[in-house]
Amino acid sequence: MESCAAKRTENTGLIGLECKLRASIALTEGDHRSAVLHQTQSLGASKRQKYSKASRQSCDLNDLIEQVIKSEISNSTASPADRPDGYTELCKRCEELPAEWTVIQIAKDYNPLATGMVHEELVREPTAIWLTVFACSDPCGDTPFEPILIPLEPPAEKPDAKFPNYFEHIAVIPSEVRNAIASHDSAAASSDSQASRLDIVEQLISSAVERTRELLGPWCNLLVGKFRSTTDQKLENEIYNQIEAFCVHNRINRTGQRLVSLVARRLDLLDDRQLFELCCSEQLDLDDAKVEALYDLLSELREQKFHDRTEERLNCYPVMLIIDELLDSMPWEMLHPTGEFSRFSSFWALSELYRAHAPRIKHGYFTLSANRCFGIINPDKNLEKMSARLQMFYREWFPDFELLIDQAPKENDFDDVLNNTDVLVYNGHGSGLQFMNGETLLQRNISCVTFLFGCDSVRLFSNGLFTEMTGTHMYYNAAHCPTVIGALWVLTDLLTDIYSMLLLGSWIPSTNPAYTKQNISSLDTMAFKAGKWQFSKTSSTTKTIIQKHPNLLKLMGDCRMFYQLPQRIRCALVCRGLPAHIRSGSTLQHGMVCRWYPLLSILLAIQLLPSAFAIQKEMTVSVGPGNVDCFFESAKAGQTIDIEYQVIDGGHGDLDISFELAEVTGRTIFADYKKSDNIHRFPVPYDGEYKFCFDNGFSRANSKTVFFELIIEREGEQEDAGWPDIDLLEGLTPDEFYEMKVQDMEDAIKRVRNNLTKARQLQDVLRSHEARDRNVAEENYFKVNVWSFFQILVMVGVGTLQVFMVKSLFDVESRAYKLLTKL
C-alpha cells in the first residue's frame, strides 16, 4: 500500500475514510492497538487539521497565500496515522484526563462502498459498531490500563418496524420531528392528526432507544459512570473481588476481568439474556463450562447484591461520549436518562478542550462563578410570544441579567459578550451563528458556558461528498468554549422556553430575594403560557423532581425525567463540552438577609423544612372473612409508590391474605395470593388514582388483621441537601462564606430530620413484627391449652371406664358382667 505521506490530495475528508480502512484491516489481523488508534484518528480527522492552533492563528489572507506557495497546506494533509502521535501518545492523553471521568467512543466500522455513496446513504448503510473504552472505573488498578475495543455486529433488521434498518431509524429522527411539528403548526391539519403525528414521533424515539439497548446488550452498562456514593463504591469493590477470584481461578485475562467487572457493577439493569450474551461474548472467548460457571456467578451476585434495588437512578460521575458523526442523531443519553453525559466529536477534541481548561477543572468539573450572565432574546424579531415570556422570566427570576431583547447583536458586541461573561444564553432561531461568522469565531478564546436554545443549534450537517459534517458547537469548542448546550433537532418555542427556565433557574441561583427558597419547577406552566407569572399551590409535603444544584449535567439528567415535557424536548437538548459546575457562593448578592439574625435563620429553616415524604400513611386494618377492603390514593407522574404489608393476626387461622395494587381503571400492577407479607415498589408513569386491596375472600371463618405502610414520594427526596463532593470554598468573600455556613446548618438539620423519619419508620415496622409475634404466641398458647384440656377429658373418661369394667367382673348380678361373659 502506498504511504499516506507520499499522497497529495486536496480533499482532506478522505483521511477519515482511510483511517477507518486501516482500523478494519488492523482488527482483521488481530492488531487491536492499531485498530483503536486508527479508529480514534478517523473521527474528526480533517477538523483536527482545520481547528488546529496553527490554522486558527492564520487569519490573514496574505498568510494563507504564503502558506499555499510554500506547500505547507499540502504537507499538512498527511494521514493522521503517519503523524508521530501514535498509540503511546493516545494512552498518555488518556492518563491526563480526570480520574472521575468515564470516556467511551461509539463509531461505525469502515464501509467499502463509502466512496460511491452520498452522505444520506452512508448514514443509513448497515455496518458494525465499535465501542472503545478509554477511561473507566478500572477494577485492575494495579496494572496499566489500555483502551478496550469491543466490535459489535450490525444490528438485525426488524421487518415489522416502520424503519426496519436501525441506522435509517435513528437517522430520520430529526426529519420526522420536523415534519410532525410542521404538521402541528399547520392550521389546515386536524387536531387528531396533529396529536397522532406527535405521538408517532414519541414512539419513534422510544423504539430507537430500545433498539439501541438491544444492540449494545450488556455493554450498555459501560455507559454507567464511576460511582459517587461510598455505598455504591463499597458494593462495586465487593463485586470486583468476587469476579477477580473467578477470573484468576479460570485463567481469564485482565481485559476480560475488566469487562465483566464493569458490566457487573449494575447487574440489576440486565436480564438473563443479556447476562448470557456477556458470558458468550467473543471478548471473553470462554468454553462452555466457563460460560456456565460465569453465568451462575453473575446470576447469584444479582440475586444477592441487587435484590432490593429496583430503581435505575444513577449517582455517578460524568460519562464523556465520543460519537461518530454518522450516529450523532441518536439520543444516547436516554439509555440511562438520569446519568451525566457530555458529547464530543472526537477524542482529540476532548483532549484539547481539557488541556485548555485543566487549571479550572476540579474533581472532573469545569468550575465557574456565574456572576456575569448575558441573554440574547429573539434577535430575529419574529418570536413575539417567546420574547414576552422570557422577558417575564428574567425580570422575575434573574433581574441582574444583562439582556439584548428583540435586537440582532453586532459582531463586535457578540465578541465582547463571549470574552467577558461567565454564561451566555441564546433564545432565538438556530444557533446564533448567523450573527457571527464561524471562521471569525475560531480566532477567539471563549471561556463562558453557552446555551443555544434554538432549533438544530448543535446538530451536525453534511457539506457534501467526502467532507466531515459540521456543527456550530465545533466552532465554539475549537475556540475553547468549555461547554455548549444545544438541540439535536427542531424544537417548539413554548416547550423550549419551559425547558430553558427549568435548567437555568435550577442551575443559577435566583438574584431575586423573593425567590430564594422557591423552586422554578413548581411554576404554573399553564399560567406562564397565558403570560402570567405564578407558582402552583402545592402542599408542604410535595417536592418537585428538579432540585436546585450547581452541577449542570445532573440537572440535565433530572430534566430528562421531567415527564411534563414531551420526550422529543427532553432528549433533544444535549451537552457538547466539559461538565460545568457553579462555584458555591457565587451569584448570591441578594442573599444576605439572614446575616444579622443567625438564630432566626435557623428557626425559619426548621419551620420551612418540607416533610420527608409527599404521602406517608401507616394503618392497621381488620379484613373480615370473605371480605375485600380497598383503599385509594392519588399519585403523580415521576413519583414512586412504596407499599409494605404483613398479616399480624389471623383470627385462629393462617397468617395470609391476597393483595392487589391496581389502577382505578382495573389494570392490575401487582397481585399476591395468600401471602403473609410483601413489599412492592412502583414508579408512577402518569397522574392518576391507584387502589390497594386486601382480599380475604378465601377465608370462611377467620378475620385477618393487616398492618401496611404506604409511601408516595418523588425520586431523590431522601437525598442529602447541599452541593456534595466538590470543595469550592476558595475565593469566597466573608459574606459568601457565612452564607455557605448557614446553608450547611440547614442541610444538617434536613439530614437529621430525614434520619429521624427513617428511624421512626423502622420502629413502626419492628412494632408490627412484635405484634405479629405476640399474636402467634398467643394463638399457640390457646391451641396448647385446648389440646391439653381435651387430653385431660379423654384420660378421665378412660380411667372411669376402666374402673367400671374391673368392678363389673366381680359383680355377677350386673348387666355388664352378663354382657362380658356372653362375649
Side-chain angles (χ1 to χ4, degrees):
M1 181 181 292
E2 183 181 358
S3 172
C4 292
K7 295 181 180 179
R8 299 173 64 87
T9 176
E10 297 299 327
N11 197 328
T12 59
L14 290 172
I15 298 176
L17 290 177
E18 181 184 1
C19 287
K20 284 197 173 185
L21 174 59
R22 287 174 176 264
S24 182
I25 294 175
L27 182 63
T28 303
E29 296 175 350
D31 186 358
H32 280 236
R33 289 187 173 184
S34 297
V36 169
L37 174 63
H38 294 311
Q39 181 67 275
T40 303
Q41 290 174 328
S42 70
L43 301 186
S46 64
K47 292 295 185 296
R48 187 182 177 196
Q49 171 185 309
K50 178 179 179 180
Y51 298 147
S52 65
K53 184 176 180 181
S55 299
R56 290 176 57 212
Q57 293 175 346
S58 301
C59 56
D60 185 78
L61 181 60
N62 294 328
D63 293 341
L64 294 175
I65 295 175
E66 184 177 353
Q67 288 184 17
V68 174
I69 295 174
K70 294 181 179 180
S71 301
E72 292 178 9
I73 294 182
S74 297
N75 292 335
S76 65
T77 59
S79 170
D82 297 319
R83 295 173 185 167
D85 50 351
Y87 188 80
T88 303
E89 172 68 12
L90 176 63
C91 293
K92 178 183 177 182
R93 285 179 176 254
C94 289
E95 293 176 357
E96 290 179 355
L97 300 177
E100 292 82 5
W101 287 358
T102 298
V103 183
I104 306 288
Q105 179 175 282
I106 307 174
K108 293 187 72 173
D109 192 7
Y110 173 74
N111 187 348
L113 304 177
T115 55
M117 292 182 175
V118 297
H119 182 268
E120 288 74 14
E121 295 174 333
L122 186 59
V123 170
R124 291 167 167 79
E125 187 67 16
T127 58
I129 289 182
W130 289 13
L131 296 182
T132 307
V133 183
F134 290 111
C136 60
S137 179
D138 187 12
C140 308
D142 55 333
T143 57
F145 182 86
E146 293 188 6
I148 303 175
L149 176 62
I150 306 174
L152 301 177
E153 294 295 326
E157 292 195 354
K158 291 190 173 183
D160 298 334
K162 181 179 180 180
F163 299 99
N165 179 359
Y166 166 78
F167 295 101
E168 181 182 7
H169 187 162
I170 64 175
V172 301
I173 291 178
S175 59
E176 289 292 317
V177 174
R178 178 183 293 273
N179 295 337
I181 292 178
S183 173
H184 182 74
D185 293 337
S186 174
S190 66
S191 58
D192 292 340
S193 64
Q194 292 171 3
S196 176
R197 281 181 172 269
L198 294 176
D199 289 340
I200 291 174
V201 167
E202 296 292 306
Q203 296 172 6
L204 181 70
I205 296 174
S206 298
S207 58
V209 174
E210 289 304 316
R211 293 181 73 172
T212 305
R213 287 197 179 101
E214 294 176 4
L215 168 64
L216 297 183
W219 310 121
C220 190
N221 272 15
L222 295 176
L223 274 64
V224 175
K226 292 188 177 181
F227 291 135
R228 193 190 305 272
S229 71
T230 55
T231 303
D232 289 338
Q233 292 173 2
K234 181 180 178 181
L235 175 60
E236 181 183 47
N237 290 331
E238 294 175 0
I239 293 175
Y240 283 173
N241 292 336
Q242 295 197 40
I243 292 178
E244 181 180 23
F246 177 88
C247 292
V248 171
H249 178 74
N250 292 276
R251 298 182 180 180
I252 299 176
N253 59 29
R254 285 296 199 183
T255 300
Q257 179 186 339
R258 284 185 167 105
L259 290 175
V260 175
S261 299
L262 291 173
V263 172
R265 292 178 303 158
R266 285 300 299 265
L267 285 171
D268 56 309
L269 303 181
L270 302 180
D271 55 27
D272 293 337
R273 180 186 61 81
Q274 293 169 326
L275 280 185
F276 188 74
E277 185 179 345
L278 169 64
C279 300
C280 298
S281 62
E282 295 182 2
Q283 286 69 32
L284 301 183
D285 192 22
L286 305 179
D287 57 35
D288 293 344
K290 292 181 180 179
V291 167
E292 184 177 356
L294 179 58
Y295 178 82
D296 292 340
L297 172 65
L298 296 179
S299 299
E300 183 179 358
L301 286 175
R302 183 176 60 181
E303 180 65 24
Q304 292 179 351
K305 305 295 184 180
F306 299 95
H307 66 279
D308 57 347
R309 175 172 290 187
T310 56
E311 75 275 6
E312 187 187 345
R313 179 170 291 273
L314 301 178
N315 182 20
C316 301
Y317 286 105
V319 177
M320 308 289 108
L321 293 179
I322 301 168
I323 307 296
D324 191 338
E325 62 181 21
L326 303 178
L327 300 171
D328 193 68
S329 58
M330 168 64 199
W332 297 94
E333 292 81 0
M334 297 302 288
L335 294 176
H336 299 293
T338 59
E340 299 181 15
F341 294 98
S342 187
R343 295 191 181 201
F344 292 86
S345 58
S346 69
F347 177 84
W348 311 105
L350 165 62
S351 179
E352 292 298 329
L353 198 59
Y354 168 73
R355 288 184 171 185
H357 297 285
R360 297 182 61 181
I361 296 178
K362 299 181 180 180
H363 305 284
Y365 293 88
F366 172 80
T367 61
L368 71 153
S369 58
N371 292 323
R372 297 167 298 172
C373 303
F374 191 91
I376 300 175
I377 302 176
N378 188 28
D380 292 300
K381 309 176 185 178
N382 56 2
L383 296 172
E384 294 81 4
K385 293 183 179 179
M386 183 200 74
S387 177
R389 288 192 296 261
L390 291 180
Q391 287 185 59
M392 178 174 56
F393 165 67
Y394 284 109
R395 181 177 63 251
E396 295 289 341
W397 200 261
F398 294 124
D400 291 351
F401 263 43
E402 185 177 354
L403 300 175
L404 183 65
I405 304 171
D406 299 336
Q407 182 179 348
K410 298 179 181 179
E411 186 167 312
N412 292 335
D413 297 334
F414 210 154
D415 181 53
D416 182 67
V417 169
L418 292 173
N419 292 330
N420 298 309
T421 59
D422 298 316
V423 178
L424 169 63
V425 184
Y426 173 86
N427 292 91
H429 289 298
S431 63
L433 203 61
Q434 63 267 35
F435 304 108
M436 173 175 279
N437 184 274
E439 300 299 327
T440 304
L441 192 63
L442 288 177
Q443 316 309 322
R444 306 292 181 262
N445 282 302
I446 306 171
S447 60
C448 66
V449 174
T450 304
F451 294 85
L452 304 177
F453 293 114
C455 296
D456 298 321
S457 55
V458 295
R459 182 183 173 187
L460 293 176
F461 294 91
S462 172
N463 291 326
L465 195 63
F466 303 141
T467 58
E468 292 180 348
M469 302 177 74
T470 305
T472 301
H473 60 280
M474 290 184 172
Y475 293 100
Y476 277 92
N477 289 152
H480 295 164
C481 178
T483 306
V484 180
I485 309 296
L488 292 175
W489 48 70
V490 174
L491 307 170
T492 49
D493 56 351
L494 173 62
L495 298 176
T496 306
D497 294 344
I498 295 175
Y499 184 99
S500 64
M501 290 190 305
L502 289 174
L503 189 59
L504 291 174
S506 302
W507 186 50
I508 305 176
S510 174
T511 55
N512 188 340
Y515 301 116
T516 303
K517 299 296 183 180
Q518 186 63 265
N519 195 305
I520 189 63
S521 53
S522 62
L523 182 69
D524 190 332
T525 54
M526 297 301 295
F528 177 73
K529 180 179 179 180
K532 299 179 181 179
W533 180 265
Q534 65 184 44
F535 291 87
S536 301
K537 295 182 179 180
T538 56
S539 64
S540 60
T541 59
T542 303
K543 298 182 73 174
T544 51
I545 190 173
I546 303 178
Q547 301 297 324
K548 299 178 184 179
H549 205 281
N551 183 349
L552 181 58
L553 291 188
K554 180 186 183 302
L555 289 174
M556 295 188 71
D558 290 343
C559 287
R560 286 193 288 270
M561 301 295 290
F562 194 77
Y563 295 110
Q564 297 181 28
L565 292 175
Q567 186 176 214
R568 67 180 186 276
I569 300 294
R570 290 183 279 121
C571 65
L573 278 298
V574 299
C575 175
R576 306 262 197 187
L578 303 174
H581 196 291
I582 291 182
R583 182 179 292 112
S584 301
S586 62
T587 72
L588 296 179
Q589 300 90 340
H590 299 284
M592 302 301 174
V593 178
C594 301
R595 176 171 32 168
W596 306 111
Y597 309 101
L599 180 59
L600 177 61
S601 302
I602 297 174
L603 293 176
L604 287 175
I606 296 175
Q607 182 180 359
L608 296 176
L609 279 177
S611 176
F613 303 102
I615 296 177
Q616 177 186 359
K617 292 185 177 180
E618 299 169 359
M619 295 184 66
T620 302
V621 297
S622 179
V623 185
N627 292 342
V628 179
D629 285 357
C630 293
F631 305 86
F632 298 84
E633 282 293 345
S634 297
K636 295 185 177 181
Q639 291 182 322
T640 301
I641 297 175
D642 285 289
I643 184 166
E644 177 181 2
Y645 71 89
Q646 61 177 323
V647 183
I648 61 177
D649 190 7
H652 306 310
D654 295 330
L655 299 176
D656 55 10
I657 200 165
S658 297
F659 170 78
E660 181 186 27
L661 168 61
E663 299 176 353
V664 292
T665 58
R667 186 177 74 91
T668 300
I669 301 171
F670 296 113
D672 298 332
Y673 179 69
K674 298 185 68 174
K675 283 194 174 183
S676 61
D677 59 82
N678 208 345
I679 300 174
H680 291 294
R681 185 177 180 87
F682 173 62
V684 179
Y686 44 81
D687 296 355
E689 197 171 32
Y690 296 84
K691 65 177 180 178
F692 316 86
C693 295
F694 296 97
D695 185 0
N696 194 28
F698 57 86
S699 179
R700 295 175 178 263
N702 297 318
S703 297
K704 305 296 174 64
T705 303
V706 183
F707 166 82
F708 71 91
E709 181 181 37
L710 173 66
I711 300 174
I712 302 178
E713 63 178 350
R714 202 170 288 276
E715 289 288 348
E717 289 181 350
Q718 293 283 1
E719 296 178 0
D720 291 342
W723 298 349
D725 304 312
I726 304 293
D727 183 12
L728 300 173
L729 296 180
E730 57 188 46
L732 299 182
T733 64
D735 289 339
E736 292 172 339
F737 184 81
Y738 176 84
E739 285 297 316
M740 286 205 59
K741 290 303 180 183
V742 172
Q743 182 65 39
D744 290 341
M745 297 176 70
E746 292 186 19
D747 296 342
I749 295 171
K750 292 178 182 179
R751 286 193 294 270
V752 170
R753 182 185 180 90
N754 287 337
N755 291 335
L756 288 174
T757 303
K758 293 177 182 178
R760 184 170 61 81
Q761 284 182 294
L762 181 59
Q763 289 175 343
D764 292 337
V765 173
L766 293 177
R767 278 198 298 269
S768 67
H769 282 289
E770 187 272 336
R772 175 177 177 173
D773 294 340
R774 184 177 64 253
N775 290 330
V776 171
E778 291 177 353
E779 178 65 19
N780 291 336
Y781 178 74
F782 174 79
K783 290 179 179 179
V784 169
N785 288 338
V786 171
W787 180 246
S788 299
F789 180 73
F790 175 75
Q791 285 184 318
I792 292 173
L793 292 179
V794 172
M795 291 174 62
V796 171
V798 170
T800 303
L801 180 61
Q802 288 178 340
V803 172
F804 175 75
M805 292 181 65
V806 172
K807 183 179 179 181
S808 298
L809 292 175
F810 298 96
D811 187 0
V812 295
E813 300 297 331
S814 66
R815 295 180 181 180
Y817 176 82
K818 294 178 181 180
L819 178 63
L820 290 175
T821 54
K822 289 181 180 181
L823 293 176

